[in-house]
Amino acid sequence: MSKTSVLTDDEIGILLTAAVHAPSMHNTQPWRFEVHGPVVDVLLDRKRLLPSEDPAGRANRIGIGAAVLNLRVAAAMLGRESRIVPDPDPNCPEVMARVFVADRRTPVPGLGSLYGELRARRTYRGPLLDQPIPPRVTGRLDEAAQAERATLRWLDADATSRLGELLRRVDEHDLHDEDRLHERLRWIGGDRSGDGIQESALGPLPTGPAFVRDLSAGSDSSHRSQAVFEDSPAIAVLCTPQEDAAAWLRAGMALERALLVATSYDLAASFLNQVLEHSPSRAAVRELVGGRCWPQMVIRLGYPAQPAHGTARRDWRDSFDRWF
Ligand SMILES: Cc1cc2nc3c(=O)[nH]c(=O)nc-3n(C[C@H](O)[C@H](O)[C@H](O)COP(=O)(O)O)c2cc1C
């Protein structure tokens, strides 16, 4: 068997720049990378946990899965195939995924074509245009999620309105949860560079009840702009057939693949994951989507009415080690 060549410095830069553009809860960027020859290990950075809002580490793993997908997209753009082993070393649980990058030097169709969307994708928390998503496009998003062994369950009007009730109850509850509010202060609001969500990326405040999460709820928002939001956006729940650590990683890969395809159709997405951060409301969402699969992300999708503001990233070199 031929020996796979080590990744060059340029290739490592391309792969890890792509990886760090992944979405992560509160933009914590909970990853570290180690490169050994042609292998990239993606590790959990324990300094970037969210113990109050994500005690089981589910959201962390979803973010890491998204970073893995981006890495594979960049490898495919470079003409290299890649293979993933989740949790490769029981003695080293912080290694959450090992990506083997093969030597092939021909274009890898599918994934590689998404490379151009990596930097354009961003979470958009503003109002959406009153313009439905064509079924042809929702079909592409379904395929993207299925390619990573997950599914998108689209909510009908009745399920959307029941989700709205759940959101209002959870938002009200969270407003009185000091631990959560305190945790968010570390990551959300104000001016930021490197990580977290600066105020401009939070979007305008809705003038009435809306399907958007105000991540700075509970803080002073008197100076934020306001906007009229759509009544009933398209909402898809990303689901996995199982509920375990491997499924969470898969969910992140499926999420990012679907988001990159959405970006290629000029769609914008934000998330209503507060309902998945509490067991009773997560169980209720599970019922809304038929009770058989496990909801991992609640995604609001549509055509943006305003420009989106991106969030910053740490330099990939700050979370990287190389071993020969
Ligand atoms: C697992 C996970 C959960 C998230 N939950 C929410 C959420 O409930 N509400 C929200 O507005 N954004 C949510 N986000 C989006 C992140 O805040 C966003 O990805 C991060 O700030 C980086 O910004 P970007 O997506 O624009 O690159 C979530 C992202 C991930 C990966």
Side-chain angles (χ1 to χ4, degrees):
M1 207 167 80
S2 66
K3 198 164 167 288
T4 308
S5 50
V6 299
L7 292 164
T8 65
D9 288 349
D10 284 349
E11 284 175 323
I12 292 171
I14 290 169
L15 294 176
L16 299 191
T17 301
V20 302
H21 275 88
S24 58
M25 185 166 170
H26 298 352
N27 196 22
T28 59
Q29 304 162 44
W31 41 67
R32 290 194 298 117
F33 305 95
E34 287 180 6
V35 177
H36 314 249
V39 176
V40 183
D41 278 352
V42 187
L43 297 88
L44 175 68
D45 183 340
R46 294 203 173 275
K47 295 192 290 298
R48 297 176 166 271
L49 304 178
L50 295 167
S52 296
E53 289 169 290
D54 182 32
R58 192 175 66 82
N60 257 320
R61 281 190 72 107
I62 292 176
I64 286 185
V68 168
L69 192 278
N70 279 6
L71 225 151
R72 296 196 64 211
V73 166
M77 183 279 294
L78 292 169
R80 285 171 162 249
E81 282 189 338
S82 54
R83 187 170 60 83
I84 294 159
V85 178
D87 301 302
D89 184 351
N91 296 318
C92 208
E94 62 263 42
V95 182
M96 296 203 156
R98 179 159 291 163
V99 185
F100 293 89
V101 185
D103 241 351
R104 195 176 124 165
R105 295 276 169 190
T106 51
V108 182
L111 274 185
S113 64
L114 296 173
Y115 184 77
E117 313 303 336
L118 289 179
R119 283 167 182 265
R121 184 216 58 80
R122 45 189 55 164
T123 304
Y124 168 77
R125 301 183 184 85
L128 298 171
L129 297 176
D130 185 16
Q131 186 181 330
I133 308 173
R136 177 179 63 85
V137 176
T138 54
R140 294 276 180 281
L141 303 182
D142 291 340
E143 286 164 15
Q146 282 159 16
E148 302 299 336
R149 290 182 240 145
T151 48
L152 289 177
R153 304 288 163 116
W154 297 86
L155 299 191
D156 61 19
D158 181 48
T160 302
S161 129
R162 279 152 66 200
L163 177 76
E165 284 161 28
L166 287 173
L167 286 167
R168 274 185 281 286
R169 259 185 269 148
V170 169
D171 283 341
E172 177 60 26
H173 172 277
D174 285 356
L175 265 183
H176 303 285
D177 185 328
E178 289 297 327
D179 291 341
R180 284 170 169 266
L181 295 177
H182 189 256
E183 187 167 88
R184 281 191 217 159
L185 285 178
R186 178 179 166 196
W187 299 103
I188 293 169
D191 289 329
R192 290 174 186 271
S193 58
D195 56 17
I197 308 178
Q198 80 283 7
E199 190 174 295
S200 61
L202 295 174
L205 286 169
T207 49
F211 287 88
V212 68
R213 184 177 189 179
D214 179 12
L215 287 168
S216 72
S219 314
D220 174 24
S221 52
S222 49
H223 50 291
R224 296 249 310 273
S225 65
Q226 295 199 345
V228 177
F229 277 60
E230 72 287 346
D231 289 333
S232 189
I235 295 192
V237 182
L238 180 88
C239 295
T240 51
Q242 271 91 35
E243 169 69 351
D244 54 25
W248 299 344
L249 205 67
R250 275 274 154 211
M253 293 164 62
L255 169 73
E256 181 65 344
R257 195 160 178 154
L259 291 177
L260 294 176
V261 171
T263 307
S264 74
Y265 286 100
D266 297 326
L267 283 169
S270 68
F271 310 97
L272 302 162
N273 264 31
Q274 62 268 50
V275 280
L276 305 183
E277 291 168 13
H278 301 269
S279 302
S281 51
R282 190 169 180 219
V285 174
R286 191 166 184 234
E287 284 307 309
L288 281 186
V289 295
R292 294 195 164 185
C293 59
W294 293 91
Q296 306 293 357
M297 296 290 296
V298 179
I299 312 174
R300 162 187 176 259
L301 280 150
Y303 297 95
Q306 299 181 358
H309 293 266
T311 49
R313 293 294 186 274
R314 291 178 295 147
D315 193 300
W316 60 269
R317 293 174 198 83
D318 295 342
S319 46
F320 164 68
D321 285 305
R322 180 169 197 159
W323 306 81
F324 290 93

